[in-house]
Amino acid sequence: MSTTLDIVRISVLNDNYVWLMREPQSGCVGVVDPAVAAPVLAEAQKRGWKITHILNTHHHGDHVGGNLEIKNATGCTIVGLAKDRARIPGIDVTVDDGDRFRFGEATAEVIFVPGHTVGHCAYAFNEEKALFCGDTLFALGCGKMFEGTPTQFWGSLARLKGLADDMRVYCAHEYTQSNARFAVTIETDNVKLMERSAAIDAARAKGEATVPSLLGEEKQTNPFLRADVPSLQKAVGMTGKDPIEVFAEVRHRKDVFR
Ligand code: ZN
Ligand code: FE
């Protein structure tokens, strides 16, 4: 049966986005990466939504900080990657790469995406066109490589790149404008990137969010998804090199970018 997801963005802390979503046929309500509890509980209550699930992408405090308080308040089920069960507070249900997690009438494909951490996963609702990718893929960026290797991180991004262009990318931070400032220094002749960068500046000047973005747009403009694209390789002077090496170089340049 086909369904939809009603997805609400909740801005918390400095620049985190918590995603609250409801599958209307079952009434299932999920929270992706609750950094904190109070604003999430308030938003759900305002809408008359009863939280049934928390979906965690990885263990960082700005993604699991609200887990226990929300679970105590609602009795919801906390879902996370089996590999990281020891680091996810209150975890009830573990999932693995390739699992299809049922969320009411919707289904998330669980994708293991190590790199930012070694226990990171993404939830891809392929039918409903929603990708919850935590700190792996950002609008015009990717997460810092805290625990993984370039081989792992590029492998993860390459898998996300294999998803459909019309997927919406629900990442966990509003980092887009600073990511754009970096991206335009990498691929100076990417017209779509220049246009997108200008649109982002305009949106942020009006105080608008830039997330979710479209995966198809990320494929055309996000330097971290383009380590295997000849025009990007040429732009960084690495034509014909292994995409893992190109990714590592772009990640390094971002790390030292001011
Ligand atoms: Zn993180
Ligand atoms: Fe984060």
Side-chain angles (χ1 to χ4, degrees):
M1 198 186 332
S2 86
T3 186
T4 53
L5 291 174
D6 298 326
I7 303 175
V8 178
R9 180 180 49 237
I10 306 173
S11 298
V12 302
L13 306 180
N14 281 335
D15 50 32
N16 275 78
Y17 289 137
V18 177
W19 301 102
L20 180 68
M21 61 174 164
R22 182 171 183 272
E23 193 283 300
Q25 295 178 33
S26 62
C28 281
V29 174
V31 184
V32 182
D33 285 352
V36 291
V40 178
L41 291 169
E43 183 67 36
Q45 187 171 30
K46 189 182 90 184
R47 292 168 180 271
W49 292 4
K50 186 186 176 318
I51 295 170
T52 55
H53 296 81
I54 290 172
L55 304 183
N56 287 131
T57 64
H58 68 295
H59 79 280
H60 285 156
D62 63 320
H63 298 255
V64 303
N67 271 20
L68 296 180
E69 197 178 332
I70 293 172
K71 185 175 173 177
N72 284 340
T74 64
C76 71
T77 298
I78 300 181
V79 181
L81 202 65
K83 190 178 169 59
D84 238 13
R85 60 159 69 84
R87 302 199 289 183
I88 295 180
I91 192 167
D92 297 298
V93 171
T94 61
V95 290
D96 284 301
D97 184 47
D99 281 358
R100 294 173 63 77
F101 178 76
R102 293 285 298 179
F103 178 71
E105 296 298 326
T107 302
E109 176 191 357
V110 178
I111 306 176
F112 179 43
V113 285
H116 175 67
T117 73
V118 293
H120 201 304
C121 71
Y123 300 91
F125 288 87
N126 290 307
E127 294 290 316
E128 295 77 22
K129 304 297 181 191
L131 171 65
F132 296 97
C133 52
D135 289 352
T136 296
L137 177 65
F138 293 130
L140 282 181
C142 74
K144 287 200 174 120
M145 197 163 60
F146 285 126
E147 297 178 4
T149 65
T151 302
Q152 288 176 320
F153 213 147
W154 172 251
S156 298
L157 292 171
R159 287 186 71 187
L160 298 184
K161 191 175 177 175
L163 301 174
D165 284 359
D166 58 355
M167 291 284 269
R168 286 188 190 283
V169 179
Y170 293 88
C171 63
H173 291 273
E174 179 64 61
Y175 289 159
T176 317
Q177 195 170 27
S178 65
N179 287 340
R181 254 196 310 273
F182 169 74
V184 298
T185 69
I186 294 294
E187 244 188 319
T188 51
D189 57 356
N190 183 332
V191 175
K192 287 204 164 65
L193 171 60
M194 298 304 152
E195 289 171 358
R196 188 178 178 196
S197 176
I200 287 160
D201 286 341
R204 295 305 291 159
K206 288 186 277 180
E208 292 171 2
T210 64
V211 181
S213 61
L214 268 177
L215 187 56
E217 199 174 19
E218 298 302 331
K219 292 179 193 179
Q220 292 180 323
T221 54
N222 185 325
F224 298 98
L225 284 182
R226 294 170 60 77
D228 57 347
V229 174
S231 58
L232 184 134
Q233 294 194 343
K234 180 160 180 274
V236 296
M238 298 181 74
T239 295
K241 287 279 170 41
D242 188 326
I244 294 167
E245 284 177 53
V246 179
F247 167 79
E249 171 63 19
V250 177
R251 184 60 261 177
H252 171 72
R253 289 191 192 188
K254 178 72 160 64
D255 290 340
V256 299
F257 182 72
R258 290 290 174 270

